[in-house]
Amino acid sequence: MASNLDNIWNSVLSIIKVELTEVSYNTWLKTVIPISLSNKTIILAAPNDFTKGILEGRYLNLIKNAIKEVVKEDYAIEFIIPGEESVSNKGQAIEKENIEMHRSQLNPKYSFNTFVIGNSNRFAHAASLAVAEAPAHAYNPLFIYGGVGLGKTHLMHAIGHYILSQNPDTKVMYVSSEKFTNELINSIREYRNEEFRNKYRNIDVLLVDDIQFIAGKEGTQEEFFHTFNALHEANKQIIISSDRPPKEIPTLEDRLRSRFEWGLIADIQAPDLETRIAILRKKANIENLEVPDEIMEYIASKIHSNIRELEGALIRVVAYSSLTNKDITIELAEEALKDIISNNKPKEITVDLIKEEVSQNFNIKIDDFTSKKRTRAIAFPRQIAMYLTRELTDLSLPKIGDEFGGRDHTTVIHACDKINADLQANKDLKDKVDYITDRLKGV
């Protein structure tokens, strides 16, 4: 039966190959594998979700017509990806697996095997692996911080997957701080506080993403404080991620800040060129994409911001090649990425630019930012400038203090906390700061 199916599929491919360009055929059809033929249905395996979507959206009728030409009958087509059973064959084992995956909420694509190690993330990767190998014994809590799209979430999910692979009975919970907050609010409104606490305190591993968003939310911080204590005292593993280290999260309670610093703090920086190229090669390999090395080097040299944009650019180039029926060349990549690359070079925001914009909007002199004057007319705009510098530049707290007259980093923290609180309470001030921010970004 398998041999007959292979013969049928080879005949189908011969018909399709004539209808497509070599690039489209090699990219989308060549990697498809026939799985079974029964009940007037042919099940085909696509290498990944992306290819599966393209096949279903663009080539389904072409494949159906080619099959009909070969077997002289109409057949339904069902696409699956490796490791996935067809809809008609899914049983209790798959259902149980889906339930488990929903419980832990881990992305199956985020594992240690798919994580590309470079100088920018080597320490964070080593720390994550150590925690995964010995939960609650190596570093507890593990606090990972870094910019958007640099791999924090990937490492957190990888830890969860590794722990579950070693002990499937481990209770692993991944949650964003926003979801934690929303569930807390709902539990209070619906009088289900006990149920909420049981959910988060009777687990073995808690992974909380983007913890910075609980800053300023007193009720959430109070509940998380007690959840943290309950888990830590029970020798359960806690992994936390943020876009900045604990000491730089504004309006975060000191008792939480200190607990976040109990274990190990690991940072992830933006990847260098070599790591970006390695990331693209890994992505192309996982997705079975045929992309010349020179194209990946071109993309890596143009996209610096984060890994998600980097991988998205690769997919965009491949899709553009297929949709236009053209070979993947530097010229095609330039055309496909012209909007991304132009937008990937934002206006550089400096301290001097921030001082100039704030001084114009609050009618003070540039020298006032570094002066010792403490009148509200001077101190308040100075605090806003410090806040904007913290939000819009990569300067550390001590460096920001130096730029504003050699002030201590605790002064900068106070300024950021104060302005952050004022923005939540004063809509007019928020509108004014948003206006200044937009001007600084060139919006």
Side-chain angles (χ1 to χ4, degrees), residues 85 106 110 139 152 179 191 193 205 219 278 334 336 375 384 429:
E85 291 191 53
L106 299 177
Y110 290 164
Y139 309 106
K152 302 186 300 297
K179 184 178 180 182
Y191 304 102
N193 301 57
V205 180
E334 289 175 343
T375 61
I384 289 177
L429 176 62

Side-chain angles (χ1 to χ4, degrees), residues 82 85 100 122 124 141 170 175 207 246 292 319 348 358 403 407 434 442:
E85 291 191 53
E100 179 66 22
R122 195 178 305 278
T170 305
V175 66
L207 306 110
E348 183 180 1
V358 174
E403 293 287 347
R407 286 174 165 80
D434 286 345

Side-chain angles (χ1 to χ4, degrees), residues 74 94 111 158 182 295 397:
D74 286 318
I94 295 298
S111 67
N182 290 337
I295 302 301
L397 292 172

Side-chain angles (χ1 to χ4, degrees), residues 36-59:
S36 67
L37 186 155
S38 62
N39 300 323
K40 293 295 181 73
T41 298
I42 291 182
I43 297 174
L44 303 172
N48 51 65
D49 285 328
F50 179 67
T51 301
K52 179 183 175 185
I54 293 292
L55 290 169
E56 291 173 337
R58 296 194 64 214
Y59 298 111

Side-chain angles (χ1 to χ4, degrees), residues 87-105:
V87 173
S88 57
N89 293 332
K90 282 183 180 176
Q92 292 182 349
I94 295 298
E95 184 177 8
K96 182 179 179 181
E97 181 180 332
N98 288 339
I99 291 172
E100 179 66 22
M101 188 59 68
H102 181 265
R103 178 182 67 82
S104 60
Q105 296 182 314

Side-chain angles (χ1 to χ4, degrees), residues 56-293:
E56 291 173 337
R58 296 194 64 214
Y59 298 111
L60 184 60
N61 288 333
L62 178 62
I63 296 171
K64 277 186 175 181
N65 292 336
I67 290 174
K68 184 176 182 180
E69 188 173 333
V70 173
V71 300
K72 310 304 180 185
E73 289 184 273
D74 286 318
Y75 271 76
I77 308 294
E78 183 181 336
F79 292 104
I80 64 171
I81 57 177
E84 175 186 67
E85 291 191 53
S86 67
V87 173
S88 57
N89 293 332
K90 282 183 180 176
Q92 292 182 349
I94 295 298
E95 184 177 8
K96 182 179 179 181
E97 181 180 332
N98 288 339
I99 291 172
E100 179 66 22
M101 188 59 68
H102 181 265
R103 178 182 67 82
S104 60
Q105 296 182 314
L106 299 177
N107 188 325
K109 295 181 179 180
Y110 290 164
S111 67
F112 284 121
N113 289 334
T114 59
F115 189 84
V116 177
I117 306 168
N119 292 331
S120 59
N121 59 31
R122 195 178 305 278
F123 178 62
H125 173 269
S128 299
L129 187 57
V131 165
E133 291 175 340
H137 294 289
Y139 309 106
N140 197 19
L142 173 62
F143 191 101
I144 306 171
Y145 76 91
V148 175
L150 296 183
K152 302 186 300 297
T153 300
H154 190 141
L155 282 177
M156 295 182 77
H157 286 241
I159 292 171
H161 282 305
Y162 189 94
I163 292 172
L164 286 171
S165 72
Q166 300 303 303
N167 185 357
D169 294 329
T170 305
K171 296 178 181 177
V172 177
M173 174 68 71
Y174 168 83
V175 66
S176 67
S177 65
E178 181 182 12
K179 184 178 180 182
F180 184 89
T181 300
N182 290 337
E183 288 188 11
L184 173 62
I185 293 171
N186 290 336
S187 71
I188 294 172
R189 185 176 64 236
E190 298 169 8
Y191 304 102
R192 292 187 293 104
N193 301 57
E194 194 64 29
E195 181 182 331
F196 174 86
R197 286 167 185 161
N198 287 335
K199 175 180 179 179
Y200 284 103
R201 299 183 191 183
N202 294 322
I203 55 178
D204 301 308
V205 180
L206 176 63
L207 306 110
V208 184
D209 216 348
D210 291 324
I211 196 67
Q212 72 272 10
F213 291 123
I214 72 170
K217 299 172 182 175
E218 294 181 5
T220 303
Q221 291 191 51
E222 176 74 20
E223 186 62 39
F224 189 75
F225 171 78
H226 294 297
T227 298
F228 183 102
N229 284 346
L231 291 174
H232 199 274
E233 289 170 5
N235 201 33
K236 306 301 183 181
Q237 180 66 53
I238 304 165
I239 301 105
I240 301 165
S241 83
S242 173
D243 65 350
R244 62 195 71 184
K247 65 180 180 181
E248 294 185 16
I249 301 177
T251 64
L252 182 68
E253 293 181 6
D254 287 339
R255 58 179 180 170
L256 274 179
R257 200 188 311 274
S258 66
R259 278 161 175 75
F260 291 168
E261 295 174 343
W262 276 357
L264 181 67
I265 300 175
D267 71 316
I268 300 180
Q269 302 295 327
D272 55 25
L273 178 62
E274 291 76 15
T275 305
R276 295 199 298 275
I277 293 173
I279 289 169
L280 290 176
R281 286 177 178 162
K282 172 76 81 170
K283 179 69 174 178
N285 182 55
I286 291 174
E287 301 289 351
N288 288 317
L289 303 174
E290 294 185 9
V291 182
D293 285 345

